């Protein structure tokens, strides 16, 4: 059996942890770092095949030293034709190769947006019959596809875009960024335990608690500094335009260029809970929509999503987050629903930027499923025949991109092929499950409470260029 002193960075061995059922288990883990505090060794472990937010510091008594696997020595540089220096594989190719391996999607033929379909009872228990008909094509840029969807033309899933605020280039990962660096964050009346690394100033990472002003999100090193800041901070809501209010829920639109300090602080906070987020300081091209809850003390941040001012891929969300104290209460779906309400006002179909986080994917699948089933179950036919609808019409009604509509129908296993046409089958189980889910979904967006005027950012950019050019001319 190996000794504790032999355990170094890169070793793999089973580590004792408690699962959700409060039972002991010994998953395989990787040692990322070792530190010595007052003669006591601590080991930072990453549980293999588990989410990084479960990573933690453990003591030696939780390590199974009998099954330790020491790190292998790195292989020599590969050679080509017997000569050293051949080009290694690029990080981008490695990332794409990983995406292709782990993608949950299985390429199968998928119906197009104009496919004909009829719905028949499944095992005699269907309550609704919906037939998809040919429909007019909507003019829109349909470039982005869901990581779990099939392309509507050839059934082959496209690789996610490897740029943008949600995508992380894993080639730059190192031990530092793989480890949580903030122990605890105090935000208003909540204390949050971060899940991931966030690039706060290094001198703050050694503190037991990082204090944030819950209105301007400025970070300070002590409670005294926070109290002194609160005497000067006159904000009681996010700095931006309030574009929605119903009851105690409000949404504020914040321009990343006009309110750069707030936007950067918001990104730093969000990085604590979003593993793939890489946007910290370049906030100019983005808009931030912050959801708040109001009480006598002010508007308290619940969550937010960001979106590019101009997106060639029709992304209507770049990053989306509900803060941990407000999770599992319906706020995530409310954020998603609000993003699609903005898309409806803009007259566009939208899709979230890929890849989605694990929690993000679950939330979007649930929202897409409920929204599409709500439409299918409310369809009525005046002629007494089966009601009919096209994929394009569903997309236009909901502003959900048609690739996401198709992938959701396939995920729900509603699409079948019968007598030369596609049919959508709503079984009794699907209908009852949907009705139970909608009873729990109390929070909904009321479009009448939305006061939003979309801006043409491309024209604004051109105007800025013309002004700058004229200024240059005058200066010359």
């Amino acid at each position: 059996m190996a000794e504790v002193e032999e355990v170094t960075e890169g070793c793999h061995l089973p580590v004792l942890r408690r699962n959700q059922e409060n039972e002991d288990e010994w998953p395989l883990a990787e040692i990322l770092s070792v530190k010595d505090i007052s003669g006591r060794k601590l080991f930072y472990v990453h549980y293999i095949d588990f989410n990084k937010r479960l990573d933690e510091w453990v003591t030696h008594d939780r390590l199974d030293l009998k099954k330790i696997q020491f790190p292998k020595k790195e292989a020599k540089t590969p050679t080509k034709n017997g000569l050293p220096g051949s080009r290694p594989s690029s990080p981008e190719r490695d990332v794409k190769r990983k995406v292709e391996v782990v993608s949950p999607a299985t390429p199968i033929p998928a119906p197009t947006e104009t496919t004909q379909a009829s719905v028949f009872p499944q095992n005699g228990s269907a309550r609704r019959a919906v037939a998809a008909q040919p429909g007019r094509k909507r003019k829109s840029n349909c470039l982005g596809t869901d990581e779990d969807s099939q392309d509507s033309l050839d059934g082959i899933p496209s690789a996610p875009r490897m740029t943008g605020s949600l995508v992380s280039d894993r080639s730059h990962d190192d031990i530092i960024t793989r480890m949580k660096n903030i122990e605890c964050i105090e935000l208003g009346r909540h204390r949050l335990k971060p899940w991931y690394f966030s690039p706060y100033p290094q001198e703050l990472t050694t503190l037991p608690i990082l204090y944030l002003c819950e209105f301007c999100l400025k970070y300070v090193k002590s409670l005294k500094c926070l109290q002194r800041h609160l005497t000067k901070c006159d904000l009681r809501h996010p700095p931006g335009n309030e574009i929605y209010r119903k009851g105690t829920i409000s949404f504020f639109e914040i321009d990343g260029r006009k309110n750069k300090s707030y936007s950067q602080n918001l990104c730093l906070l969000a990085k604590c809970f979003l593993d793939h987020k890489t946007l910290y300081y370049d906030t100019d091209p983005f808009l931030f929509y912050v959801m708040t809850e109001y009480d006598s003390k002010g508007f308290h941040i619940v969550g937010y999503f960001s979106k590019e001012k101009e997106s060639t891929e029709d992304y209507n969300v770049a990053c989306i987050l509900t803060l941990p104290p407000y999770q599992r209460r319906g706020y995530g779906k409310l954020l998603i629903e609000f993003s699609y309400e903005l898309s409806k006002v803009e007259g566009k179909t939208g899709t979230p930027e890929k890849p989605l986080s694990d929690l993000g994917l679950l939330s979007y699948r649930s929202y897409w499923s409920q929204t599409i089933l709500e439409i299918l179950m409310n369809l009525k036919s005046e002629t007494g025949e089966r009601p009919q609808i096209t994929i394009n019409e569903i997309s236009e009604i909901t502003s959900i991109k048609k690739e996401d509509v198709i992938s959701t129908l396939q995920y729900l296993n509603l699409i079948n092929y019968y007598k030369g046409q596609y049919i959508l089958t709503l079984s009794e189980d699907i209908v009852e499950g949907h009705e139970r889910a909608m009873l729990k979904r109390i929070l909904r967006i009321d479009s009448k409470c939305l006061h939003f005027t979309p801006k043409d950012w491309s024209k604004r950019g051109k105007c800025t260029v013309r002004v700058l050019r004229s200024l240059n001319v005058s200066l010359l």
Side-chain angles (χ1 to χ4, degrees):
M1 185 176 72
E3 299 293 332
V4 175
E5 289 73 18
E6 298 179 56
V7 181
T8 59
E9 295 174 1
C11 289
H12 289 67
L13 74 172
V15 177
L16 176 64
R17 70 178 296 271
R18 285 286 178 95
N19 59 22
Q20 292 181 344
E21 288 75 30
N22 206 29
E23 299 172 345
D24 290 346
E25 60 181 7
W26 292 84
L28 187 65
E30 177 187 359
I31 304 295
L32 296 184
S33 182
V34 182
K35 67 180 179 181
D36 195 312
I37 299 180
S38 302
R40 185 188 185 195
K41 275 201 169 185
L42 294 177
F43 305 86
Y44 192 87
V45 299
H46 165 63
Y47 298 103
I48 309 298
D49 297 329
F50 284 70
N51 193 287
K52 278 171 59 178
R53 62 174 169 265
L54 299 177
D55 296 358
E56 58 181 335
W57 288 99
V58 301
T59 53
H60 75 276
D61 56 324
R62 291 175 57 183
L63 307 179
D64 186 353
L65 299 177
K66 296 178 182 178
K67 299 180 180 178
I68 189 170
Q69 303 170 19
F70 292 100
K72 296 179 181 179
K73 293 182 179 180
E74 293 185 4
K76 294 182 179 179
T77 305
T79 60
K80 185 176 182 181
N81 299 328
L83 298 174
S86 60
R87 186 170 65 94
S89 60
S90 70
E92 183 176 355
R93 288 201 302 276
D94 290 341
V95 172
K96 288 185 178 179
R97 194 177 298 119
K98 288 180 183 177
V99 169
E100 291 170 0
V101 172
V102 303
S103 175
T106 303
I108 58 173
T112 65
E113 66 273 15
T114 57
T115 299
Q116 284 189 342
S118 298
V119 180
F120 288 84
Q122 186 177 29
N123 299 327
S125 61
R127 189 181 297 182
R128 295 287 188 274
V130 184
Q133 276 190 334
R136 63 186 184 278
K137 288 189 177 181
R138 180 177 180 176
K139 293 182 180 179
S140 61
N141 296 324
C142 302
L143 303 178
T145 57
D146 188 359
E147 60 181 347
D148 295 313
S149 71
Q150 285 74 36
D151 186 82
S152 62
L153 297 178
D154 55 18
I156 301 175
S158 303
R161 181 168 73 106
M162 302 312 296
T163 58
S165 57
L166 261 184
V167 182
S168 176
D169 181 359
R170 314 310 295 184
S171 66
H172 296 296
D173 275 2
D174 53 30
I175 294 299
I176 300 299
T177 58
R178 290 181 67 188
M179 296 168 52
K180 303 170 195 172
N181 59 334
I182 303 295
E183 185 68 27
C184 181
I185 291 176
E186 184 169 304
L187 181 69
R189 60 180 179 271
H190 300 292
R191 282 195 173 177
L192 316 177
K193 190 171 183 180
W195 296 348
Y196 307 110
F197 171 89
S198 183
Y200 280 102
Q202 191 170 358
E203 61 269 20
L204 301 179
T205 60
T206 57
L207 301 174
I209 300 176
L210 179 64
Y211 295 89
L212 267 62
C213 171
E214 64 175 325
F215 299 113
C216 74
L217 303 183
K218 181 179 179 180
Y219 48 86
V220 293
K221 62 182 180 180
S222 67
L223 183 58
K224 276 190 176 181
C225 292
L226 178 64
Q227 291 170 343
R228 190 161 56 244
H229 166 78
L230 291 176
T231 61
K232 304 172 185 176
C233 184
D234 55 358
L235 278 181
R236 289 298 174 264
H237 59 76
N241 298 323
E242 186 181 12
I243 60 174
Y244 179 91
R245 182 188 292 188
K246 184 176 182 181
T248 59
I249 301 295
S250 292
F251 279 86
F252 291 83
E253 182 185 55
I254 294 144
D255 189 327
R257 183 182 64 83
K258 293 181 180 178
N259 297 284
K260 186 169 292 189
S261 177
Y262 179 90
S263 301
Q264 290 173 350
N265 289 338
L266 177 61
C267 289
L268 287 171
L269 172 62
K271 180 60 187 75
C272 292
F273 307 100
L274 293 174
D275 187 23
H276 291 89
K277 184 174 174 58
T278 59
L279 170 68
Y280 314 126
Y281 303 111
D282 183 21
T283 60
D284 289 21
F286 290 87
L287 294 169
F288 298 83
Y289 295 90
V290 178
M291 178 168 65
T292 64
E293 254 189 355
Y294 175 77
D295 64 15
S296 58
K297 295 183 179 179
F299 295 80
H300 308 277
I301 181 171
V302 171
Y304 89 104
F305 68 88
S306 60
K307 64 185 289 188
E308 293 175 286
K309 294 174 181 176
E310 296 181 81
S311 174
T312 56
E313 294 89 349
D314 290 341
Y315 292 138
N316 64 353
V317 166
C319 292
I320 185 168
L321 171 71
T322 304
L323 290 174
Y326 300 95
Q327 290 178 0
R328 304 183 68 85
R329 290 164 58 180
Y331 290 113
K333 279 198 185 72
L334 199 67
L335 281 165
I336 295 172
E337 186 177 3
F338 189 78
S339 71
Y340 281 106
E341 283 296 328
L342 297 184
S343 294
K344 290 177 185 178
V345 176
E346 293 170 340
K348 300 176 182 177
T349 58
T351 188
E353 187 177 322
K354 313 303 186 304
L356 291 166
S357 65
D358 53 351
L359 297 179
L361 180 58
L362 288 173
S363 297
Y364 266 95
R365 273 182 175 168
S366 179
Y367 172 80
W368 289 332
S369 300
Q370 291 179 7
T371 304
I372 293 170
L373 286 172
E374 197 170 28
I375 289 174
L376 297 180
M377 290 174 60
N378 290 332
L379 280 178
K380 295 180 181 179
S381 176
E382 298 177 357
T383 61
E385 299 179 354
R386 293 186 186 88
Q388 300 176 344
I389 194 169
T390 66
I391 300 295
N392 258 355
E393 287 171 342
I394 295 176
S395 181
E396 289 176 1
I397 294 169
T398 61
S399 281
I400 300 173
K401 208 165 187 181
K402 64 177 183 291
E403 287 85 356
D404 296 330
V405 173
I406 293 171
S407 70
T408 303
L409 293 174
Q410 291 174 334
Y411 172 74
L412 294 171
N413 201 24
L414 298 184
I415 299 179
N416 295 284
Y417 195 72
Y418 183 78
K419 290 186 178 180
Q421 63 178 350
Y422 287 100
I423 61 173
L424 305 180
T425 307
L426 301 185
S427 67
E428 193 73 24
D429 291 340
I430 290 286
V431 172
E432 290 178 356
H434 172 71
E435 290 175 345
R436 285 195 302 270
M438 295 308 291
L439 287 175
K440 298 178 182 177
R441 190 174 164 187
I442 301 172
L443 296 174
R444 299 297 298 270
I445 294 295
D446 186 351
S447 57
K448 296 177 183 177
C449 299
L450 176 62
H451 305 285
F452 169 70
T453 304
K455 302 177 182 67
D456 189 342
W457 294 101
S458 60
K459 288 184 178 179
R460 285 169 173 256
K462 291 174 184 177
C463 290
T464 304
V465 170
R466 282 198 293 269
V467 170
L468 288 174
R469 284 176 179 172
S470 62
L471 286 173
N472 288 337
V473 171
S474 60
L475 288 171
L476 290 173

